[in-house]
Amino acid sequence: MAAEAGLAGEANSFAEVLKQFRDRVSPVLIDDSWWNQILECAQGIPAAVATFPFGFEIPLHEQEAKADLGVSVFGLTESAAYYKQQGQVADASSPAAACAELLRQMESDDAPICEIVGRKMMLEYDVASAQNGAQPAPGIFLRPSERPITGDGERVEDISTVLDAIVTGAGWDSDPEELRHLTRVCQAQEGGGTCIGSIGVFPSRKRAIRLLLGSFQNWQDLRDFLTRSGWPGQDTGIASAVKHFEEKGVAMHMGVNLDVTADGPGPRLGVSFSPKMRYADDPNYWVDSPDLWAPFIDCLRGMDLVVPEKLSALAERVSGAEVLHDHSGSVILVWLIHHIKFSVRQGQIDQIKAYPFFMMRSMKRT
């Protein structure tokens, strides 16, 4: 609450917060034109959102220096109050009203959804889709962090609870076939080594449930899962890439993104990569050790799909922290790469995206 109050006292919107560190985001990754579009999107978001992790989706496979925006919203905070207020003034059947209802559910201590995912909701804004100043409804993601859902088959009811909640957040009706296929895919994890990373929806897109599962340790485990899950696609391109990383001795956790519908998992596949930390019990280790990403980034340099200038710009600021100064005191800005994702279509990798994220902490002067 103190951090939210400090940021709110410095800025009237999230856009004003972002303006403070424009020079810390390379124009090679996000140029001025796209940055202005992001600011326009952020103008309608409260400054307090910056208290929690926020970041960008940056395509490394495209020359155009563009990005989408992601933020975190926690129940019972100032930013959550904003989204609930937006839902109250919106049409009752709108995604904004549905999102507000989901937030209200998550703020109840005894609500089943709160017991599984806590009070955190992640929103992804498709900046490029804004037309005539109208921003489409953001994607909504929930992460079962309080009660992880693994592949041991004991959390079937929890899968149903999270699916019902995320469908409610999109303003959709429930579909038993969707639940059946989603449960099947989740149970295909087999054992306790992996778990659901997040379940999400994009209310403004064609209906599908975006499922993230991780963390797979090697290609064999990932391929076996895809076979058991009933994924209908081809893995030729991603198999070659992952095997190349393994041959180079690059140690990465892998997550799998699937779009699940009432007809089953779709052919589109995403595989996300993040470093294996040597000291997982130290929360600062990732930020303090930019070398964790170096082997993986070096492997990316040899891929034709990646724009070299973008990869170099990304590598220059892999992780770190610095102190910024404002009128009321100091602000610590923390940044790091959360993950890099490969997307597969018709057997071949056709997209590579980086997901750097930031967090700002206000420090009162004494």
Side-chain angles (χ1 to χ4, degrees), residues 7 47 58-59 64-65 91 118 126 164-165 186 205 275 280 290-291 337 339:
L7 285 172
I58 297 176
E64 190 174 9
D91 185 274
D126 189 355
D164 284 346
C186 291
R205 301 184 189 178
D291 61 299
I337 300 175
H339 66 278

Side-chain angles (χ1 to χ4, degrees), residues 206-255:
K206 184 178 179 181
R207 177 163 177 160
I209 307 301
R210 177 66 57 85
L211 178 66
L212 168 62
L213 296 169
S215 152
F216 296 91
Q217 305 300 311
N218 55 64
W219 170 244
Q220 185 65 49
D221 289 347
L222 193 154
R223 186 181 65 178
D224 289 347
F225 160 77
L226 291 175
T227 300
R228 292 191 302 270
S229 71
W231 177 61
Q234 300 175 349
D235 62 17
T236 310
I238 192 64
S240 176
V242 175
K243 289 177 181 177
H244 175 67
F245 300 148
E246 292 181 344
E247 290 171 359
K248 293 291 186 179
V250 178
M252 305 292 287
H253 291 292
M254 290 180 288

